């Protein structure tokens, strides 16, 4: 089924891309994104995720229908808009991907190590991405409401802010190097100023997203991993504290803004 969905996604992208041409000196992807908004190919990944949610899998031959994303077992409506959050049952702050990974291990018996040690868009990590697409769709249009009152959430926010401004790697870049000022672009893509609440919301509420340039669906963990790669620094471990801390920082600064999940990117 996944191959069929991928093929369909490529077909949809090609159909949209063929008639579109920009003649201005500055290529603007915003218009392209708007064209795709009503027929986002991410829907194909959402469909696969919905099927995975109700399919018995893993050593325990169980579904994910009892997975608690913070609003009670099985509740997906509005759940992503309130993540990351502190979970008492794990004693940890978890984002959507790490929480789904926890459910896959505890309910289905699928080892977290298989996902952490895997590759994006492949195997169980690829299935996790489809589950993300399914869950976030149920928060589209809902206001971000991340609770940072717990001390561990406050610690994560502080860590995320520190990481955001920390310069590292061969190019001495930080997240703020690209996302610390208004009006910056990379080629056709506008770079939000994440030091502002509006800019943080532009980033947080539009990922995960379907990437038109390569016909792929990228989760936020995938996006963060690629940001570190582009900084020419050590790439983070999947669902590690540093990635979750950055997620808390962006999400909390986005409180009150509406989620646009899943987004459409270049």
């Amino acid at each position: 089924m996944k191959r069929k969905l991928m093929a369909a996604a490529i077909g949809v992208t090609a159909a949209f891309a063929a008639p579109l041409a920009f003649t201005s000196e500055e290529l603007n992807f915003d218009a392209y994104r708007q064209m795709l908004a009503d027929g986002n190919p991410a829907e194909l990944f959402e469909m696969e995720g919905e099927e995975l949610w109700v399919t018995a899998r893993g050593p325990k031959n169980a579904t994910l229908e009892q997975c608690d994303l913070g609003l009670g077992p099985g509740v997906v409506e509005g759940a992503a808009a309130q993540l990351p959050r502190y979970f008492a049952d794990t004693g940890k702050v978890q984002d959507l991907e790490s929480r789904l990974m926890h459910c896959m291990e505890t309910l289905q018996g699928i080892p977290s190590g298989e996902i952490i040690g895997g590759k994006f868009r492949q195997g169980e990590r690829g299935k996790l991405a489809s589950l993300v697409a399914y869950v976030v769709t149920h928060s589209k249009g809902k206001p971000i409401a991340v609770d940072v009152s717990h001390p561990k959430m406050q610690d994560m926010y502080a860590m995320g802010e520190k990481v955001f401004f920390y310069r590292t790697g061969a190019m001495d870049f930080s997240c703020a190097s690209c996302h610390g000022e208004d009006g910056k672009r990379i080629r056709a893509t506008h770079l939000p100023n994440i030091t502002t609440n509006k800019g943080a919301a532009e980033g947080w509420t539009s990922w995960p997203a379907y990437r038109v340039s390569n016909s792929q669906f990228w989760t936020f963990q995938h996006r963060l991993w690629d940001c570190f790669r582009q900084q020419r620094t050590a790439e983070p471990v999947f669902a590690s504290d540093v990635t979750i801390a950055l997620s808390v920082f962006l999400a909390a600064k986005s409180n009150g803004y509406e989620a646009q999940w899943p987004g459409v990117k270049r």
Side-chain angles (χ1 to χ4, degrees):
M1 178 179 179
K2 189 169 184 178
R3 290 181 180 177
K4 293 180 180 179
L5 292 175
M6 291 297 185
I10 293 170
V12 170
T13 302
F16 276 101
L20 188 64
F22 291 102
T23 57
S24 63
E25 292 182 1
E26 182 181 45
L27 181 64
N28 188 345
F29 186 70
D30 295 339
Y32 194 0
R33 184 182 296 112
Q34 194 169 14
M35 288 178 64
L36 281 171
D38 293 332
N40 191 337
E43 293 176 7
L44 299 167
F45 294 87
E46 177 202 350
M47 291 166 56
E48 182 178 36
E50 183 177 17
E51 182 178 341
L52 287 167
W53 185 263
V54 299
T55 300
R57 297 194 316 115
K60 296 184 179 181
N61 193 35
T63 73
L64 291 172
E65 292 171 290
Q66 292 302 305
C67 178
D68 187 349
L69 298 175
L71 301 181
V75 179
V76 296
E77 190 69 26
Q82 297 184 41
L83 289 166
R85 67 190 301 157
Y86 171 76
F87 286 90
D89 60 353
T90 61
K92 297 179 180 179
V93 173
Q94 294 175 301
D95 64 354
L96 177 55
E97 286 166 87
S98 58
R99 187 61 182 179
L100 283 169
M101 188 166 62
H102 167 77
C103 287
M104 291 168 73
E105 181 166 68
T106 57
L107 295 176
Q108 297 181 312
I110 298 171
S112 294
E114 186 173 341
I115 299 171
I116 294 171
K119 295 182 179 180
F120 290 109
R121 300 182 294 107
Q122 297 181 26
E124 290 299 333
R125 194 185 290 188
K127 291 180 173 62
L128 177 62
S130 294
L131 286 163
V132 167
Y134 166 63
V135 174
V136 298
T137 302
H138 290 272
S139 284
K140 186 178 181 68
K142 298 186 183 299
I144 303 299
V146 173
D147 183 0
V148 293
S149 62
H150 194 280
K152 289 194 176 183
M153 284 289 287
Q154 294 171 13
D155 289 345
M156 279 294 201
Y157 182 95
M159 183 195 298
E161 184 174 31
K162 183 175 182 178
V163 172
F164 180 80
F165 290 102
Y166 185 78
R167 303 179 75 94
T168 184
M171 301 175 71
D172 194 34
F173 273 11
S174 69
C175 301
S177 298
C178 291
H179 296 286
E181 298 176 28
D182 292 331
K184 284 193 171 183
R185 302 182 74 92
I186 289 182
R187 295 181 294 276
T189 304
H190 162 71
L191 299 175
N193 180 358
I194 291 174
T195 63
T196 68
N197 295 97
K198 182 177 182 295
E202 284 183 45
W204 178 252
T205 65
S206 62
W207 287 96
Y210 180 80
R211 299 202 65 175
V212 177
S213 59
N214 52 21
S215 304
Q216 296 172 2
F217 178 79
W218 280 30
T219 66
F220 197 66
Q221 283 281 337
H222 197 165
R223 173 69 271 173
L224 287 177
W225 173 86
D226 197 54
C227 286
F228 278 81
R229 181 191 65 81
Q230 291 180 73
Q231 286 178 254
R232 305 297 191 269
T233 189
E235 295 157 5
V237 173
F238 183 84
S240 58
D241 283 351
V242 67
T243 59
I244 295 173
L246 279 167
S247 296
V248 171
F249 176 63
L250 266 72
K253 287 176 70 68
S254 305
N255 274 342
Y257 287 87
E258 288 187 0
Q260 303 302 314
W261 300 316
V264 181
K265 301 290 182 178
R266 179 183 61 81

